[in-house]
Each structure stands twice: as C-alpha cells, then as structure tokens.
Amino acid sequence: DFPNNTTNVQVCAGSKLEIGLTKNDAENESSFFIQKADIANIFSTNTGKFSWTPTNANVGIHTFEIGVRDNACPYPEDTVKTFTIEVTALPIFDLGPGDTLNCNTGIDYNPTITGNAPYFYEWTSRSSNKIISTTSNLFIDNLDSLKIDTFDVVITDKFGCINTDSVHLRHPIQAKFSPIKRCFEDSSTFNNLTKSIKGNITSYEWNFESTKSGIPNNNGESPIVLFPNLGNYTTTLTVKNDLGCTDVF
C-alpha cells in the first residue's frame, strides 16, 4: 500500500512525487513487479518507489497494477493491487509583459484563471519585499509614488496546487541625478540621469536649498553651481514632460 494504507494519491502538475509502497513478508524474500502501468519508468521494482514530476500534459488519473511475488515456501504466490495517481492541473493565468504606465492614473491587474477554484492570492512587491494584497486583483492608484517596481503573485487552488507570475511596471518619467563632489570654493556639477520613457521632457527645476545656500532655482539640464559655505545642502530635481507627468528626485 501507499503510506496510510491507501491505494491512491494526488499530486500537482510540476511537483515531484516521491512515494513508496509497503509490503509485508515474514521471510523477506518477495519482490515487486509491474503488471500494468499507464506511465512507464516511474516505478522502480528494486526500491518499490514511484518517482515522477508530472506536467500539465499528464493531468488526469493514471492506473498502475503493482504486484508482489513471493517464491518462498510454504506458500509461493503473487499478490497484485491497483494504485491510482491523480495529477491535478496548476492554475493557469498570465499577467502579461508589464508596461510603462501613464501618469496620474491607476492600474488594475485581475488575472483570468483556468483551473480548480476557489483560489487564494498573495501579491508581493519586490521593492518592499512585503505582501501588499491577498485579494483576486492588484490595484495601484498612486503611480507617482510607485516609480518602478516588480510585482509577484502566487495563486493557490483548492488542491493546494501553486502557480506564480510577475509583472514589471514603470512610471513614464524617472527623475534622477548624480552630484560630482568638489572641494570647497570649487563649482559642483550635477549630472542629470533623468529618463522619460513616454513623452518628451519639457522642464527641469533644481532647488539647491536656496534659503540656506542663497542659490536660486535653476532650470538647466545639468547645472554647475558654487555653494557659498561648507556643509550639506539638500538638492531637489523636479522634471515634467509633455504628457503632464511629473517626477521628483
């Protein structure tokens, strides 16, 4: 028998099945043999174990007639039992390739699933490494704060079969710069690394903590400024494009 004295077992497609049969033989002189097998080469008569990783192509019930042959006296005989392995399909869905999103709009991912309902959901943000939703859909309504992220979803069906997918989302404009450090009384150059994935950039606005530095805002792409005193200055870059999108770094 299978463990727990059963003759059937269920396995999810894509999961490895590793299960052995038990036999009782006082003389320990019996051996397994295969009388019938729907799937070849997954049962070992030497070890008495099934070892198999089925795919969605194997979904269904598969029958195996496995026997034990006892040639020892006083009662040599064969005993045959029928065992079934039921392969359950994974939940099938596709979130798509991801997208560069329009600014100031939300997005709703609600995958259509083929499989065995009900389903259980777990949406995770890679940037925070936290579960952000356990509902059937992922709705994001604040893309300006999102910037860029990849979201993973794990969907589990009623049999415990699991499938995963991910989607990569990008904000249409990504402000970024890298300051080049200088010694005091040397000019500082700000290397602009901004990207506009959708639309064309229409304006840059740099703020060099003007109340402290006395340096006015600058609208250049990569400005060069001279800070008046030693210290730390918070610099902010605000970028806009012709689609009305704004990003701040």
Side-chain angles (χ1 to χ4, degrees):
D1 290 329
F2 286 136
N4 302 321
N5 297 318
T6 61
T7 57
N8 57 79
V9 68
Q10 181 265 334
V11 62
C12 300
S15 297
K16 185 172 184 178
L17 175 69
E18 194 82 38
I19 191 169
L21 300 181
T22 58
K23 56 185 176 69
N24 296 316
D25 176 15
E27 293 85 10
N28 197 29
E29 295 183 10
S30 60
S31 59
F32 288 105
F33 66 93
I34 302 171
Q35 183 162 292
K36 175 190 174 184
D38 283 356
I39 306 293
N41 303 320
I42 71 169
F43 180 77
S44 170
T45 56
N46 293 325
T47 64
K49 289 184 177 181
F50 287 91
S51 182
W52 186 32
T53 303
T55 67
N56 267 350
N58 303 121
V59 168
I61 297 176
H62 305 278
T63 301
F64 303 84
E65 295 178 5
I66 307 298
V68 174
R69 179 165 292 131
D70 184 0
N71 294 318
C73 295
Y75 304 109
E77 62 176 333
D78 290 349
T79 301
V80 177
K81 271 192 172 182
T82 299
F83 299 89
T84 59
I85 298 176
E86 181 178 1
V87 180
T88 304
L90 298 179
I92 301 299
F93 62 98
D94 185 6
L95 295 180
D99 197 7
T100 299
L101 306 169
N102 294 321
C103 54
N104 305 316
T105 59
I107 190 167
D108 191 0
Y109 276 94
N110 194 355
T112 300
I113 308 171
T114 301
N116 300 292
Y119 304 107
F120 305 91
Y121 302 81
E122 187 176 280
W123 297 87
T124 304
S125 163
R126 289 192 191 177
S127 64
S128 66
N129 197 29
K130 293 181 179 179
I131 297 172
I132 58 174
S133 177
T134 55
T135 62
S136 61
N137 67 312
L138 173 67
F139 179 69
I140 301 170
D141 61 356
N142 189 4
L143 298 182
D144 285 333
S145 65
L146 170 66
K147 309 302 183 192
I148 183 170
D149 205 349
T150 298
F151 298 91
D152 300 297
V153 63
V154 178
I155 297 181
T156 307
D157 70 11
K158 68 177 182 179
F159 294 113
C161 297
I162 296 173
N163 206 355
T164 63
D165 199 7
S166 61
V167 62
H168 186 67
L169 304 180
R170 298 181 297 180
H171 191 273
I173 186 170
Q174 297 164 24
K176 187 177 182 180
F177 65 86
S178 174
I180 300 176
K181 295 182 180 180
R182 299 293 188 187
C183 297
F184 178 54
E185 295 184 344
D186 284 342
S187 297
S188 297
T189 301
F190 288 82
N191 185 23
N192 195 332
L193 304 174
T194 297
K195 294 180 180 180
S196 184
I197 302 168
K198 280 186 177 180
N200 299 307
I201 296 174
T202 56
S203 69
Y204 301 96
E205 183 176 331
W206 298 83
N207 185 300
F208 302 102
E209 200 172 357
S210 58
T211 56
K212 178 180 177 180
S213 68
I215 301 174
N217 289 356
N218 189 302
N219 295 323
E221 184 174 343
S222 295
I224 300 174
V225 298
L226 178 62
F227 290 98
N229 299 299
L230 294 173
N232 296 318
Y233 298 88
T234 300
T235 300
T236 303
L237 171 62
T238 302
V239 182
K240 297 180 180 180
N241 69 8
D242 55 5
L243 299 177
C245 304
T246 301
D247 194 26
V248 180
F249 181 80

